[in-house]
Amino acid sequence: GYAELEDDTRAHNKDLPAVAELILREDPDAVALQELTGKAQLKILLGLLRGNYRGAVAQQGGDRFEAVLVKNTTPRFIPVSAAGQYALAASFRLHPDTPEIVFLSAHADAFNAARRRSYTEALLDWAEAQTESSQVFIAGDFNFELRAANETNLYTDNVKHDSESYSHILRNFRDLGREAGDTA
């Protein structure tokens, strides 16, 4: 996506060749995407990926979509409803004799910590139910503000909601991107 200063903060079609080049160069088994404009944009990206990936977009929950791409397999795409918002998961196996992987693309509300908390709790309830039979990975953007120094309105309880949501995630999942630093 783009910064708030732009007319349209979602991904632009002109950026898709660079996105495809990065995916092809890094060669991941699965990719979580946020900020797409919809199915038409995903179709363009899949074409740029030369048929190496299958993909789907989540149900519309606003003006932007989450998507999941999976390489060289036929995944089962699973829509996930979480507190009135939508996410998308893909279920697949890297090889016939390996465990099933459930890969979930999530994108929480950027402007409301209480909605982020409800979304996170509902998403984790769904994901935790999958862990008995699958390896579950959740990727995306939870938009958490975990440090009071980053809070722009100290008259809210955003830090409390976000820190509790993050703690809830860490009860059953590891944060594999923790050392990557802030995303904004």
Side-chain angles (χ1 to χ4, degrees):
Y2 281 77
E4 289 182 30
L5 304 175
E6 304 290 331
D7 290 337
D8 186 356
T9 61
R10 300 173 298 178
H12 297 177
N13 288 351
K14 68 181 181 184
D15 300 318
L16 296 179
V19 172
E21 180 183 319
L22 176 67
I23 292 170
L24 290 169
R25 182 176 66 240
E26 297 300 322
D27 197 32
D29 293 314
V31 177
L33 299 167
Q34 292 80 42
E35 308 285 341
L36 293 183
T37 60
K39 290 179 182 178
Q41 198 171 56
L42 177 65
K43 184 176 180 181
I44 293 168
L45 182 58
L46 290 171
L48 292 168
L49 293 171
R50 305 179 200 137
N52 294 332
Y53 288 84
R54 307 289 174 269
V57 294
Q59 291 179 256
Q60 185 170 3
D63 68 339
R64 54 203 71 224
F65 293 81
E66 292 72 52
V68 175
L69 307 176
V70 179
K71 181 179 75 171
N72 296 333
T73 187
T74 305
R76 179 175 52 99
F77 293 104
I78 309 160
V80 179
S81 177
Q85 293 178 265
Y86 298 95
L88 183 70
S91 171
F92 61 97
R93 293 179 189 277
L94 293 175
H95 303 284
D97 57 338
T98 60
E100 178 184 55
I101 294 172
V102 173
F103 185 75
L104 180 63
S105 179
H107 192 197
D109 190 295
F111 304 106
N112 187 300
R115 283 198 295 262
R116 285 193 292 274
R117 183 177 181 166
S118 297
Y119 176 79
T120 300
E121 289 171 354
L123 204 65
L124 287 175
D125 286 346
W126 183 88
E128 288 168 356
Q130 312 308 306
T131 60
E132 288 188 27
S133 61
S134 305
Q135 293 181 342
V136 178
F137 294 87
I138 302 170
D141 187 356
F142 283 93
N143 284 303
F144 292 148
E145 289 290 341
L146 298 174
R147 290 186 218 110
N150 293 342
E151 184 60 48
T152 57
N153 181 353
L154 296 177
Y155 299 103
T156 71
D157 58 357
N158 286 358
V159 173
K160 179 178 185 268
H161 278 301
D162 286 347
S163 64
E164 289 178 353
S165 296
Y166 184 65
S167 294
H168 186 67
I169 290 172
L170 293 180
R171 282 188 206 128
N172 294 310
F173 292 91
R174 288 183 297 154
D175 184 350
L176 301 175
R178 187 176 201 145
E179 301 305 315
D182 291 341
T183 60

